[in-house]
Amino acid sequence: RNLNQRCRRHSSSATSLLLLCACACPRLAAAPARRVVSVSMSDGHTTNALDQDRAAALRAAGQQGSGQGSADALDAFPAVSVANGLYKYVLINAVVPKSGERKVLLRSGPGNYHVDVAGPTVNALIAAGLASDIPGGGRINRDDDTKDISIFGFSYGFGKGDHALAAEMCTAQFSGYKVSVSDGGY
């Protein structure tokens, strides 16, 4: 009973509760929740096992890197690419394997899942011989008419992004925009 009260914030659906709370609730970790293929959240959003697998595979591929990349290759990637509108976002730590030189990349654009937003950049980094990691994501609403940028939410596949860092990067890129951050919402 206490366990259900603690986890109810995730969803009223028992199926969702088992899948989402397995890492935080030791009694549920051994439950057959891993067999759930798709989980519908109480807020109407859905994630699935394929999305989770794709996110893990993309993260692993990016961490491998070929080791042949250079600082010039890293410099070729713009730090910020945020499309106008409401989209998912990811932060990507790009690394030159030999020197350890790092650059944080912010990407936001169309995609059903955060892995769809991260994929093109991670694949381009790999092709350039660079390594990467995706520490998290969320959503960004960029409104060019009102010059507002809102950063909020989290990624089921990669976890919650550093919204403060994303806001700092947007402020530097989009002069004259009001940038706000919230921990609420999906």
Side-chain angles (χ1 to χ4, degrees):
R1 185 176 195 177
N2 189 11
L3 182 64
N4 286 336
Q5 289 175 345
R6 189 175 100 203
C7 299
R8 187 163 287 143
R9 66 188 156 90
H10 291 299
S11 172
S12 59
S13 164
T15 304
S16 298
L17 181 74
L18 287 173
L19 182 64
L20 292 175
C21 296
C23 63
C25 305
R27 287 183 49 203
L28 293 177
R34 302 292 178 211
R35 293 186 200 149
V36 175
V37 174
S38 181
V39 178
S40 224
M41 304 307 296
S42 60
D43 59 6
H45 297 286
T46 301
T47 190
N48 60 48
L50 179 59
D51 171 44
Q52 299 293 313
D53 291 346
R54 288 177 59 215
L58 185 65
R59 180 176 268 158
Q63 290 172 346
Q64 298 282 320
S66 71
Q68 303 303 317
S70 66
D72 289 338
L74 184 61
D75 288 342
F77 288 87
V80 177
S81 177
V82 175
N84 183 42
L86 174 60
Y87 297 108
K88 292 170 172 49
Y89 91 84
V90 291
L91 290 169
I92 302 169
N93 295 323
V95 182
V96 178
K98 288 183 180 178
S99 69
E101 184 178 343
R102 299 178 162 277
K103 182 177 184 179
V104 178
L105 308 176
L106 171 62
R107 297 294 183 262
S108 175
N112 291 326
Y113 300 102
H114 287 86
V115 70
D116 299 326
V117 176
T121 300
V122 170
N123 289 330
L125 289 166
I126 292 168
L130 302 169
S132 66
D133 185 45
I134 307 160
R139 291 184 178 247
I140 291 182
N141 186 7
R142 175 180 149 200
D143 187 333
D144 287 344
D145 293 333
T146 62
K147 294 200 177 270
D148 286 326
I149 297 176
S150 302
I151 302 167
F152 60 96
F154 61 94
S155 163
Y156 285 109
F158 300 114
K160 181 178 173 250
D162 183 341
H163 295 338
L165 176 58
E168 182 181 311
M169 294 175 76
C170 284
T171 299
Q173 180 71 28
F174 299 101
S175 169
Y177 280 67
K178 177 185 168 208
V179 179
S180 62
V181 172
S182 168
D183 282 331
Y186 165 74

